[in-house]
Amino acid sequence: MAEPLIPATVIGSWSFPGWYEKFVGDVKDRPELYGPVDREEAVRDAIRLAIDDQVRSGLDRITDGEMQRVDFNLGFYEYLGGLEPLRKARHWGAPAHDQRDRYRCIAPLTAPEGLGTTTEYHRLREYTAGPVKIPIPGPFTLAGCIDGGAVYPDRAATTEALIPIVAAELKALDAAGVDFIQLDEPSFACHPDAPDYFLDVIARTVAGVKAYVSMHMCFGNYRARAVGHRTYRPLFPHIGRARVSQLALEFASREMAEIELLAELPETMDVAVGLVDVKNTWIEPPGLVAERLRAVLKHVAPERVSITPDCGFSQTARHLAVAKARSLAEGAAIVRRELGRS
């Protein structure tokens, strides 16, 4: 199925249904309560609900909602050998990034069974034949929750160890038939002071990948909190040299600030523009999404544009995610009609 002009899609994650969130917590706290068949059934039911929510909302390219993961990139650490968990820095009080799970290297990092994304893709394909994408965290972002211990002296060294692991996963997705991969590197936007280093990391990570690669760079969304200075200006014009087909950037939560930067990107690079705010419980009307999209089209041709939420919906209540996704799809439809491309 071909995508329309200015497709509406998600970044990756979808809101967990309430029952599934409880199930995931139960499995973590009391794993003896569920057998492998119970777990498989619950995961598949959650995937089908995520697909149904996205399709009914009118989105043009969907994911499995990351129902097969736990809390974005945290689930990936279960696949990595050479790690031990650390105590959380803080358990109580207002939610923030210092409450994330963290790990220490006790041996060189390995991923003998990969990172699990090809299994995710095959499960997703059992329930939909439509356009899909598979998100996967990049090596620099994965390194953010790892203390190198005595194995790696700093984050850069940890990143170097993760590059071949993520690169191998991208090639496995390629071989499985995935045509759209999203590399999640929000940490790049929050650490913009070494652009040539970042571009080299990306180039080596995606080398040889034939699929369309989008790179998502937000400013963090753990427990609906940002974690960096929310400006893309330091990334420009360097980011236009990234070896990816698309950049996925957040603008709604920043009231469309810096949208003019898109004009500095090369015409060969597409953009996925965040037009609804996942941190806000207010539902953007379709007319406002259309207004924001018109502002985007002043700087980028419509053939290069997709629209998304600012980030994943995992930290957004499910009924709000459905409503915001519907506004995205309806806002895109308004502008397509105006362009005579409905």
Side-chain angles (χ1 to χ4, degrees):
M1 291 180 283
E3 290 180 288
L5 182 73
I6 315 176
T9 182
V10 285
I11 286 297
S13 65
W14 192 257
S15 304
F16 275 23
W19 66 267
Y20 189 60
E21 187 166 351
K22 184 179 188 308
F23 167 81
V24 169
D26 286 348
V27 168
K28 182 178 180 180
D29 295 336
R30 298 187 62 190
E32 73 279 2
L33 291 178
Y34 301 96
V37 174
D38 301 317
R39 297 186 188 193
E40 184 72 13
E41 180 180 296
V43 168
R44 288 179 176 273
D45 286 349
I47 293 169
R48 288 189 296 162
L49 283 174
I51 292 170
D52 189 63
D53 280 355
Q54 292 171 77
V55 171
R56 286 176 180 271
S57 296
L59 298 178
D60 301 299
R61 184 177 290 272
I62 65 171
T63 68
D64 69 348
E66 298 184 10
M67 296 294 152
Q68 303 177 69
R69 307 176 185 178
V70 180
D71 214 359
F72 176 50
N73 62 0
L74 300 189
F76 289 101
Y77 296 109
E78 298 170 7
Y79 289 93
L80 292 173
L83 293 178
E84 65 176 5
L86 295 173
R87 292 187 63 184
K88 288 186 179 181
R90 183 169 62 90
H91 289 265
W92 308 108
H97 286 250
D98 61 350
Q99 294 178 330
R100 300 195 73 163
D101 290 339
R102 291 188 58 82
Y103 303 84
R104 177 188 292 117
C105 286
I106 54 175
L109 291 170
T110 61
E113 298 180 7
L115 297 176
T117 60
T118 55
T119 298
E120 293 178 3
Y121 173 66
H122 290 309
R123 279 203 189 101
L124 174 59
R125 273 293 178 226
E126 290 183 38
Y127 299 110
T128 181
V132 302
K133 64 179 173 180
I134 302 296
I136 176 172
F140 186 77
T141 290
L142 275 176
C145 289
I146 298 176
D147 178 338
V151 183
Y152 304 111
D154 53 28
R155 185 169 179 175
T158 306
T159 299
E160 287 297 314
L162 288 164
I163 289 173
I165 292 173
V166 177
E169 195 73 6
L170 298 185
K171 290 185 177 67
L173 289 171
D174 234 359
V178 177
D179 64 353
F180 193 122
I181 297 171
Q182 180 178 285
L183 189 66
D184 293 318
E185 277 291 11
S187 295
F188 280 10
C190 301
H191 301 276
D193 53 335
D196 289 332
Y197 163 73
F198 290 146
L199 294 176
D200 178 63
V201 167
I202 293 302
R204 287 186 287 137
T205 302
V206 304
V209 175
K210 299 180 179 64
Y212 185 97
V213 177
S214 174
M215 183 163 65
H216 170 55
M217 295 186 299
C218 68
F219 298 99
N221 192 37
Y222 181 74
R223 301 297 182 255
R225 298 293 198 274
V227 73
H229 183 200
R230 296 195 302 162
T231 174
Y232 290 121
R233 178 73 268 180
L235 296 175
F236 282 77
H238 319 287
I239 200 64
R241 294 187 282 114
R243 299 287 183 85
V244 297
S245 300
Q246 182 189 74
L247 296 180
L249 308 173
E250 72 168 70
F251 287 99
S253 65
R254 303 184 306 127
E255 299 299 333
M256 305 304 289
E258 301 184 320
I259 196 67
E260 69 281 355
L261 291 176
L262 299 182
E264 298 184 23
L265 294 174
E267 293 184 359
T268 54
M269 181 174 280
D270 297 337
V271 291
V273 186
L275 298 185
V276 297
D277 182 1
V278 300
K279 300 176 177 67
N280 195 336
T281 60
W282 175 67
I283 307 300
E284 296 87 346
L288 177 60
V289 172
E291 177 184 320
R292 290 172 170 174
L293 178 52
R294 293 186 200 105
V296 173
L297 298 182
K298 292 178 181 178
H299 306 286
V300 189
E303 291 78 13
R304 294 169 52 203
V305 176
S306 299
I307 62 172
T308 66
D310 276 348
C311 196
F313 275 130
S314 65
Q315 313 295 305
T316 307
R318 186 180 171 199
H319 68 100
L320 299 176
V322 169
K324 285 174 176 283
R326 187 175 297 122
S327 287
L328 266 182
E330 293 176 1
I334 290 170
V335 174
R336 280 197 294 267
R337 288 193 295 269
E338 294 171 354
L339 296 172
R341 304 282 290 275
S342 58

